[in-house]
Amino acid sequence: MKQKQVFFLHFFYWLLIIFNGLLARAVYSEGGLDILDVTIFLANILGFYVNYFFVVPRFFDPKRFYLMIIGFFVGVFVFVLFRYSMEELLLPVVAGFRNYAEGTTFLYYFYDNIYYSSLTVFVSTNLWFFKYYLKVEEEKSVLIEERKHAQLQALKTQINPHFIFNSLNNIYSLVYQNSDKALPAIEKLSELLRYSTKDLEKEVISLDKEIGYIESLIGLEKLRIKNPELLIIEKNISHPKINISPMLLVPFVENAFKHGDFRDKGFVLKVSDDNKVLHFYLHNYKNQRMKDTASGIGIDNVKKRLEILYPKKHELFIKDLESEFIVDLRIIFPYEND
């Protein structure tokens, strides 16, 4: 698309030059085109594209402005050289006449043609700058996307080890107690890891699959909780196949289980997607006997990913109180989910 823009600018310029020449002939009531019209037009074309492809790229240096001034006069010189060669060297041999009086020096010819060449060199230079600007913007966009992709991949790979560490701690506790729940817990962990290993490689997964992770995680954690009925889950999903980045919601639930108080308390989890606005709400009570200096890893991870994936399309409110932790997240899904 950008290449087409550059092409049409070139096309429009030359169309304007031709139209201006024909209009000048009509206004001044001159006859048809003569050979001098052809020579100056050819000098314009040759000077324009030699300047565009060779002169400007070699003299462009934002840190040394004087080089660009020199480049401008080199472009003028190229135009003058082409016109001089055709009108003062070639025409006398081919047609028996020249444009300027015999004996005209090249210095005078150069000075007299600065006016005629300036427009060509100026437009040629600016079109090159326009093409250069488009190229820089395109490269910048590619770099931003690559950086986003690399950052997201790095952030997503932080989730998996963190999740494994938490789950293995739970299973270790069950095995230590010789609990009958240990083997089912290992099976559930294996199932979760199969899902996460496969889907973390994807850019997006369906919302129902993300919620499925959460439900499997809750099922795993229920094995070690004395009062699993205190875990209140409300789900109202109208668009289960809508796309979401994998493991975007799971860290909040992990955090609740890792730092929550489940002796005689639970949590409230609500997930809905009315009007394609995801609403994720989680309220849990803190375990005052357990403090973890690394508790913010998963949450900070999600904050960074939300900023990258949904800039100005999400609202995240976190209330970190003395005895409670509340997460209230809303995401406006992009149009590609329609």
Side-chain angles (χ1 to χ4, degrees), residues 9-54:
L9 283 173
H10 282 253
F11 179 77
F12 177 76
Y13 172 72
W14 291 114
L15 198 63
L16 192 63
I17 291 294
I18 294 171
F19 176 76
N20 181 66
L22 295 175
L23 184 63
R25 285 282 175 180
V27 169
Y28 296 113
S29 301
E30 297 181 6
L33 296 176
D34 59 30
I35 194 168
L36 292 178
D37 293 317
V38 175
T39 56
I40 194 170
F41 184 72
L42 289 175
N44 269 295
I45 292 178
L46 293 170
F48 185 101
Y49 286 108
V50 169
N51 183 68
Y52 184 84
F53 287 113
F54 301 102

Side-chain angles (χ1 to χ4, degrees), residues 48-309:
F48 185 101
Y49 286 108
V50 169
N51 183 68
Y52 184 84
F53 287 113
F54 301 102
V55 177
V56 182
R58 281 162 177 75
F59 284 87
F60 173 69
D61 188 345
K63 296 181 181 179
R64 293 185 289 179
F65 186 72
Y66 69 90
L67 276 181
M68 293 189 283
I69 300 296
I70 295 173
F72 176 82
F73 284 103
V74 171
V76 170
F77 177 81
V78 169
F79 172 92
V80 175
L81 182 63
F82 280 125
R83 191 179 184 193
Y84 183 85
S85 299
M86 286 185 286
E87 294 184 352
E88 307 305 314
L89 299 178
L90 185 62
L91 277 184
V93 176
V94 176
F97 71 94
R98 52 171 43 93
N99 186 19
Y100 284 65
E102 188 173 354
T104 300
T105 63
F106 182 80
L107 182 63
Y108 177 87
Y109 195 92
F110 179 84
Y111 176 79
D112 195 48
N113 274 272
I114 290 177
Y115 169 78
Y116 296 106
S117 61
S118 293
L119 177 63
T120 294
V121 174
F122 179 78
V123 173
S124 174
T125 301
N126 278 277
L127 283 179
W128 185 87
F129 282 145
F130 179 71
K131 185 184 74 169
Y132 176 80
Y133 169 78
L134 291 180
K135 181 182 177 183
V136 168
E137 287 300 306
E138 185 176 358
E139 289 175 350
K140 189 185 298 183
S141 297
V142 171
L143 286 174
I144 290 173
E145 289 303 315
E146 288 179 349
R147 186 174 62 187
K148 279 185 178 181
H149 179 74
Q151 190 173 0
L152 282 173
Q153 289 303 112
L155 289 170
K156 286 195 292 186
T157 54
Q158 289 178 20
I159 298 171
N160 206 19
H162 185 61
F163 170 72
I164 295 172
F165 178 77
N166 290 342
S167 299
L168 287 176
N169 272 346
N170 297 338
I171 294 173
Y172 174 82
S173 177
L174 293 174
V175 173
Y176 183 79
Q177 299 170 16
N178 292 320
S179 173
D180 294 337
K181 299 177 181 178
L183 285 178
I186 293 173
E187 290 176 3
K188 285 185 176 292
L189 177 59
S190 298
E191 183 180 351
L192 282 171
L193 290 179
R194 279 196 297 271
Y195 281 128
S196 62
T197 303
K198 180 177 66 176
D199 290 321
L200 271 177
E201 298 175 356
K202 300 177 182 177
E203 293 295 327
V204 293
I205 59 172
S206 61
L207 179 59
D208 62 342
K209 187 169 286 189
E210 176 77 359
I211 294 173
Y213 289 156
I214 293 173
E215 291 175 332
S216 296
L217 175 60
I218 292 172
L220 180 62
E221 296 288 353
K222 278 183 177 180
L223 296 174
R224 69 177 181 90
I225 295 174
K226 293 180 179 180
N227 302 305
E229 68 277 359
L230 294 178
L231 305 182
I232 300 172
I233 304 168
E234 297 179 11
K235 184 174 66 170
N236 183 19
I237 302 299
S238 304
H239 306 88
K241 297 305 177 185
I242 208 164
N243 288 333
I244 189 171
S245 181
M247 294 294 187
L248 193 64
L249 306 177
V250 173
F252 292 121
V253 183
E254 283 189 287
N255 186 72
F257 282 118
K258 185 177 181 183
H259 306 288
D261 184 356
F262 295 100
R263 288 170 298 173
D264 54 359
K265 299 173 183 177
F267 66 46
V268 176
L269 173 62
K270 298 178 181 179
V271 186
S272 62
D273 63 347
D274 295 335
N275 299 317
K276 291 193 176 181
V277 177
L278 176 65
H279 185 201
F280 178 89
Y281 175 87
L282 180 60
H283 178 196
N284 69 279
Y285 295 90
K286 291 182 178 180
N287 187 344
Q288 298 300 311
R289 299 177 301 173
M290 181 179 66
K291 299 294 183 182
D292 188 346
T293 57
S295 61
I297 292 177
I299 303 300
D300 289 341
N301 187 304
V302 175
K303 287 180 180 178
K304 292 175 184 177
R305 293 178 66 198
L306 286 169
E307 289 297 329
I308 295 172
L309 293 165

